[in-house]
Amino acid sequence: MPDEREPIEDAQPQDAARSPLGRARRLGGPAVQQRTAAPVPRRSGPLRAAAPDAVAPGTAPPAAAPEAAAPDDVTAPGAPGSRAGRNLPAAIGVGVGLGAVILVSLFAYRPSFAVIVGLAVLYGCWEMTRALRSAQVHVSLLPVVVGAAATLVAAWERGPSGLVLAVLLTFVAVLAWRIGDGAEHYARDVAASAFTIAYLPMLAGFAVLLAHPHDGAARVLAFVATVVCSDTGGYATGVLFGKHPLAPIVSKGKTWEGFAGSVVACAAAGVLFCTLTFHEAWWKGLLFGLAIVVTATLGDLGESMIKRDLQIKDMGALLPGHGGLMDRLDSLLPCAAVAYLLLSAFAPV
């Protein structure tokens, strides 16, 4: 079957030559003008499975991508996966592997955890830049990634004040860098770059701050394990009992039953960590768990809204069963800030 982008006469020269359209092509008649005059809107098609590169002005638009399921939709019949739309064995394998990397970095050499966070943030910046480019929004990638690395180093070396200062300097660098591309869409592109800085390196800096104290390994484990409890508890109860959509406009897979499972799992994890690890009152752990589950859910829904606005299914395909790296960081990033603030108040160093 010929490619849809090839001219008809290349695939079937004789039929095209005998057709009125073929004669109009040879003569440059109105049929060709009518075919090429109508503009093709960028986002009139279905959700794209991946974010394509930007189309240069004056060039022909690419052929429409095949229809892809919306974020969090159920997988097609026969596809490897589950009721919740995941390739479950692959998702479990990736999750166990990532957990092992975090554990090794925390207990073997704690500063290596900051290095792993930095690598994840740099790759996440690239994924976010690529996704926004599909909407003709351009992030100033070089100052963003340089500023991201500097932000995490400053957070480790100088604490919260170093984190804030590095973020502000990165904003200034983006403002200056974008001037070189002219005034057109300046505000839009700078805003996208600022959003990327705030979403990735700034929030990830709080995970670095969590790891820095002498009991940093326990703090990071409490934060990560509680977020994992939110994901797994919501997934299990949602698959088994989910009937009432939590936010159908944003995500078809989220249900109130799944959210209830997340609440129970996070509350239990928070109480256990707070009482057994930090030796604090149980109610502090309960508040910690409830704050994490709300933040994780909002972070997940927020990234789903970004993907729906950009009309992409996943941010990437790096992690089998999960999608892109940003599809795993969506709940971890905002929860890192909440975990740092609450643990600093409930279990000060």
Side-chain angles (χ1 to χ4, degrees), residues 170-193:
T170 305
F171 285 153
V172 174
V174 165
L175 291 171
W177 182 273
R178 181 56 181 78
I179 292 175
D181 292 332
E184 186 177 6
H185 302 309
Y186 179 84
R188 182 195 66 184
D189 293 346
V190 166
S193 299

Side-chain angles (χ1 to χ4, degrees), residues 121-212:
V121 166
L122 294 181
Y123 189 86
C125 288
W126 179 82
E127 277 191 349
M128 181 65 70
T129 299
R130 180 174 175 267
L132 291 172
R133 191 182 302 138
S134 69
Q136 309 300 317
V137 178
H138 298 279
V139 173
S140 300
L141 185 59
L142 183 59
V144 166
V145 296
V146 172
T151 297
L152 299 181
V153 172
W156 182 268
E157 295 293 335
R158 299 296 180 182
S161 59
L163 171 64
V164 172
L165 180 60
V167 168
L168 292 177
L169 291 177
T170 305
F171 285 153
V172 174
V174 165
L175 291 171
W177 182 273
R178 181 56 181 78
I179 292 175
D181 292 332
E184 186 177 6
H185 302 309
Y186 179 84
R188 182 195 66 184
D189 293 346
V190 166
S193 299
F195 170 75
T196 304
I197 295 167
Y199 192 21
L200 281 150
M202 188 182 77
L203 292 179
F206 288 98
V208 173
L209 294 176
L210 279 170
H212 192 269

Side-chain angles (χ1 to χ4, degrees), residues 2-19 21-22 25 35:
D3 192 293
E4 294 179 358
R5 290 169 291 185
E6 296 177 358
I8 297 177
E9 60 266 31
D10 292 341
Q12 298 176 342
Q14 295 181 357
D15 294 340
R18 290 194 295 267
S19 66
L21 178 59
R25 284 178 180 273
R35 181 185 179 92

